Amino acid sequence: MPNSDFPTTYQPLEVSRLDYAYDRPGTMPGHLHLSADAPPAELVLIDYDRHSSTRVSISEPAKIKEYLKTHTVSWIDVSGLGNTATWDALSPIFDLHRMLVEDVVNVPQRPKIEHYQDQVLIIAIMVVLNPDRTGFTKEQVSLVLGKNYLLTIQEEPEEDCFHGVRQRIEIDRGIIRTQGADYLAYCLLDAIVDGFFPVLEYYGELIEDLEEEVMIRPDRSTLEKIYKVRRELLTIRRAIWPQRDAINSLIRDGSDLISSEVQVYLRDCYDHTVQVMDMVETYRELATGLMDVYLSAVSNKMNEIMKSLTVVSVIFIPLTFIAGVYGMNFDRSKSPVNMPELGWYWGYPLCVALMVITAGSLIFFFWKRGWFKSSI
């Protein structure tokens, strides 16, 4: 494909974790959102058959042609999106359609399946649990399946979940080295889907901790944690939902590049996506329930505070009334009915005793009603 088919003007886009990439109105098809001075991608080629396997780092993309001419299976793993020079070199080697390259480079795309003349493009989303277990990393992985090769493009070069597949090829475990590139594509798709389970296990443990925190010591930070869990579960849902539909489409529509035997394995991969979807929906419902429990806990806490204030207020209201009555300045010399008890010998002790009896009666009443068990 001529290099001129790939425009290289760079226009940065602001893409959040919940949005997919889009082109500005009027952008011509095949526009790549890449910088000409971006670092080149790292290329690793694994070439194998049932007898041997070879793993080499590729510095010159033209060297890949030598491996594509053989009958072995060639897995070319591109780590990072690279720059325009990278795709100007790779596109003619694999005869990549410019719309295919646009889907690969302009990330993130919605997971999907695209059929080209001699290739199948599989867009998938991979999630990897962070080493410090404080969340996950989400990235797009593109698989371009050919007759005897598989080209994979990872958005981020640091982490992936393909270690097990590489090891199986290296030590010849299982049947992977006796199968074609379509089986390799299945293995990588299965690894991507299975990578969701450790992430969901982390969120399951996090939700359990939040349940205990909501019931014992809910505060503002608890609410923030619940909102964060809900947002991140929504991100996972937006990744796995279209991925499930894409794998189902690959099973339903089929392809000349995918054998009937691999179709059976893909159905198992589809079952795993359904299981992931069930777990995500369950955890989202639990997170939503945590929000309701948190609001109820805060409301109950406020009710307990109001109950305590009510008890104290009710006890002191009659005492305040008694003190207010005897605080009135009536002139006893003008009339014998102007508070005659002020002249009693035991007037003050009787007044204090009346206050104590009143307060004690109210405290006894509230105690019998059980208010002090939850309020004081």
Side-chain angles (χ1 to χ4, degrees):
M1 181 177 296
N3 295 346
S4 60
D5 288 343
F6 294 91
T8 58
T9 304
Y10 174 61
Q11 296 180 359
L13 294 178
E14 294 183 0
V15 181
S16 72
R17 297 182 68 185
L18 299 181
D19 294 329
Y20 296 120
Y22 63 92
D23 291 326
R24 292 185 176 87
T27 303
M28 66 179 180
H31 182 85
L32 305 184
H33 301 297
L34 285 176
S35 175
D37 57 354
E42 298 180 4
L43 278 66
V44 176
L45 185 142
I46 299 178
D47 189 82
Y48 65 90
D49 59 15
R50 65 179 60 197
H51 303 294
S52 62
S53 67
T54 303
R55 178 174 179 173
V56 294
S57 297
I58 302 296
S59 57
E60 296 293 335
K63 295 180 179 179
I64 299 175
K65 294 181 180 180
E66 303 174 4
Y67 295 91
L68 297 181
K69 295 176 182 178
T70 65
H71 296 290
T72 57
V73 176
S74 299
W75 173 18
I76 303 91
D77 187 24
V78 182
S79 299
L81 300 179
N83 50 32
T84 54
T86 300
W87 294 103
D88 287 342
L90 287 176
S91 298
I93 295 174
F94 296 97
D95 192 22
L96 302 177
H97 195 281
R98 66 179 184 179
M99 299 304 296
L100 183 151
V101 179
E102 181 185 34
D103 288 338
V104 168
V105 170
N106 299 343
V107 297
Q109 297 287 331
R110 192 175 189 271
K112 60 180 179 179
I113 304 294
E114 293 287 350
H115 296 269
Y116 292 89
Q117 183 174 0
D118 298 317
Q119 297 168 334
V120 175
L121 171 64
I122 305 172
I123 300 291
I125 300 297
M126 177 170 61
V127 295
V128 179
L129 191 64
N130 293 334
D132 56 358
R133 296 183 63 84
T134 57
F136 64 92
T137 301
K138 168 178 168 287
E139 65 171 295
Q140 174 178 312
V141 179
S142 304
L143 293 81
V144 181
L145 174 63
K147 185 177 181 180
N148 63 337
Y149 67 86
L150 181 68
L151 176 66
T152 59
I153 303 94
Q154 301 183 45
E155 180 183 353
E156 300 292 339
E158 287 80 11
E159 293 289 339
D160 63 28
C161 54
F162 299 151
H163 309 294
V165 179
R166 296 188 185 99
Q167 187 178 25
R168 285 157 58 189
I169 295 174
E170 182 180 355
I171 65 177
D172 192 17
R173 178 186 298 171
I175 63 173
I176 188 169
R177 278 177 39 178
T178 64
Q179 302 295 316
D182 54 347
Y183 185 82
L184 174 62
Y186 150 73
C187 291
L188 297 183
L189 273 178
D190 189 59
I192 291 172
V193 174
D194 289 347
F196 282 83
F197 289 105
V199 176
L200 291 176
E201 181 181 354
Y202 160 76
Y203 282 101
E205 296 174 356
L206 183 58
I207 289 175
E208 290 182 0
D209 295 338
L210 285 175
E211 287 178 343
E212 181 178 353
E213 184 175 338
V214 166
M215 296 302 298
I216 298 177
R217 52 184 186 282
D219 55 19
R220 183 68 179 180
S221 63
T222 305
L223 182 62
E224 295 174 356
K225 293 176 185 177
I226 295 174
Y227 270 117
K228 182 180 179 182
V229 169
R230 291 183 62 186
R231 287 196 305 269
E232 293 177 350
L233 287 174
L234 177 60
T235 301
I236 297 176
R237 183 181 184 274
R238 287 173 59 89
I240 194 61
W241 188 285
Q243 202 148 289
R244 181 197 62 173
D245 296 339
I247 295 176
N248 185 39
S249 173
L250 192 62
I251 297 171
R252 183 182 63 250
D253 299 337
S255 172
D256 295 337
L257 297 172
I258 300 177
S259 65
S260 57
E261 182 180 359
V262 174
Q263 290 278 1
V264 177
Y265 290 107
L266 286 174
R267 287 200 292 268
D268 179 70
C269 186
Y270 175 79
D271 291 339
H272 291 178
T273 61
V274 173
Q275 185 178 354
V276 171
M277 277 298 307
D278 291 341
M279 294 177 65
V280 171
E281 292 301 326
T282 300
Y283 290 158
R284 289 184 69 225
E285 291 179 3
L286 288 175
T288 301
L290 280 179
M291 184 67 64
D292 297 335
V293 173
Y294 170 82
L295 295 176
S296 298
V298 172
S299 178
N300 289 338
K301 186 176 181 180
M302 181 61 67
N303 290 339
E304 293 298 326
I305 294 174
M306 295 302 298
K307 183 186 292 186
S308 300
L309 295 177
T310 300
V311 169
V312 174
S313 299
V314 170
I315 292 175
F316 278 90
I317 284 175
L319 304 184
T320 304
F321 172 76
I322 295 172
V325 168
Y326 288 100
M328 292 185 294
N329 297 320
F330 286 101
D331 188 358
R332 294 179 60 246
S333 63
K334 299 294 183 181
S335 172
V337 298
N338 285 347
M339 306 184 73
E341 60 272 19
L342 294 179
W344 296 352
Y345 182 82
W346 297 100
Y348 176 73
L350 289 175
C351 181
V352 172
L354 177 62
M355 291 183 179
V356 172
I357 293 172
T358 302
S361 300
L362 291 173
I363 292 174
F364 178 76
F365 173 77
F366 291 133
W367 175 74
K368 292 293 289 184
R369 297 293 297 268
W371 281 33
F372 290 106
K373 295 180 180 179
S374 57
S375 60
I376 296 180

